[in-house]
Amino acid sequence: MVDTTVLRDDLRFGEGPRHGPDGRLWYSDFYDHEVRALDLDTGEQEVVCEVPGQPSGLGWLPDGRLLVVSMLDRKVLRLEEGGLVEHADLGGVATFHANDMLVDAHGRAYVGNFGFDLHAAIAADGEAPLMEPDWVAPGTALALVGPDGSVAVAAEDLKFPNGTGLLPDGRLVVAETLAFALTAFDVAADGALSGRRVFAPLREHLIAPDGIAVDAEGGVWVAPALQPFAFRVEEGGVITHRVRTSQTCFAVAIVGDRLVCCTAPTSQPEVVSGARLGKLEVVDL
């Protein structure tokens, strides 16, 4: 029996969920090319914008303007009154599709990318080779985008940098999906990262961390990408809570006192791009 309740079951593939400044759940649907905002209490949903290059990570500048990752053209876009405009070009940093994003209170954005064609690798050989301890994913950089759209490298040689969050003590935590680990960094006043270390090793639990959400106590809720669960992980790798979802969980967000999970049977485009198998699922914390 699952622990969640299905809010919506008409998605293609939901990603990048965020608790918006207006209290609604904001999320991207890759293959509908839409960013949406959903009122969890009324069920009313709005299509905020359409992103032809496939939307992913979301965040807001201090003045409230929305930033959204455009995956296929490796850009961060900014929503103005007249529509989306280019905020930053990640082509000099991202080595494959741009992905999840965290925007901090200063308007600095940390943006991950695949690093290589993961979907093609899985289509060719399945997921099993990626889970072998001696298989090493290609490294790629985490991008740091300034509020003015300037782009720099925040950290190098990450194994599929994905969900990102800020811990209560100010450290940044990044889900390295294909390292099967959460990685922590110290954050300088200018947003630069240092002091890289493992926050939580997760390989023994077969958790390939995808989306994450940090709670007020410093626990990290993790979407495992390979299992129909969401896990709460503390520093060192201790799992304190487990929520069962109806299908594989790829992203999570904390909205008020609820955990929202984006689920789908798989992340492979050939399966989910043409069907509506994705769901938004919720559980009270």
Side-chain angles (χ1 to χ4, degrees), residues 17-19 100 102 163-175 182-184 199 210-223 231-235 251-256 258-260 285:
R18 287 285 185 266
H19 187 181
D100 216 333
L102 169 75
T164 306
L166 282 170
L167 297 166
D169 62 10
R171 288 179 296 163
L172 188 84
V173 62
V174 181
L182 300 178
T183 300
F199 179 87
D210 192 330
I212 64 172
V214 178
D215 65 26
E217 291 74 40
V220 182
W221 283 94
V222 178
F231 298 95
R232 184 183 183 273
V233 179
E234 293 186 339
E235 189 162 11
V252 290
I254 297 172
V255 181
R258 288 171 283 194
L259 181 74
V260 179
L285 293 177

Side-chain angles (χ1 to χ4, degrees), residues 196-246:
R196 178 176 179 171
R197 65 271 206 189
V198 175
F199 179 87
L202 298 172
R203 185 179 292 275
E204 67 175 297
H205 304 293
L206 288 179
I207 295 173
D210 192 330
I212 64 172
V214 178
D215 65 26
E217 291 74 40
V220 182
W221 283 94
V222 178
L226 296 171
Q227 305 177 54
F229 294 97
F231 298 95
R232 184 183 183 273
V233 179
E234 293 186 339
E235 189 162 11
V238 174
I239 294 175
T240 62
H241 296 75
R242 182 183 72 170
V243 169
R244 185 186 296 271
T245 54
S246 70

Side-chain angles (χ1 to χ4, degrees), residues 31 33 51-55 69-75 96-98:
Y31 304 115
H33 303 278
V51 182
Q54 198 168 297
V69 170
S70 181
M71 296 181 67
L72 304 185
D73 51 6
R74 307 178 199 180
K75 293 182 178 180
F96 205 68
H97 297 343

Side-chain angles (χ1 to χ4, degrees), residues 60-78:
W60 289 265
L61 292 169
D63 62 10
R65 287 176 295 172
L66 176 71
L67 298 182
V68 54
V69 170
S70 181
M71 296 181 67
L72 304 185
D73 51 6
R74 307 178 199 180
K75 293 182 178 180
V76 177
L77 307 180
R78 186 178 68 250

Side-chain angles (χ1 to χ4, degrees), residues 1-48:
M1 179 177 292
V2 301
D3 299 319
T4 57
T5 299
V6 175
L7 279 174
R8 298 190 74 94
D9 60 0
D10 57 347
L11 284 67
R12 296 189 190 275
F13 191 82
E15 259 284 12
R18 287 285 185 266
H19 187 181
D22 59 2
R24 294 185 294 176
L25 171 74
W26 293 58
Y27 70 97
S28 296
D29 191 323
F30 279 10
Y31 304 115
D32 267 343
H33 303 278
E34 292 179 348
V35 176
R36 303 173 183 143
L38 173 67
D39 187 312
L40 296 186
D41 296 316
T42 67
E44 293 183 6
Q45 180 168 272
E46 173 192 1
V47 175
V48 177

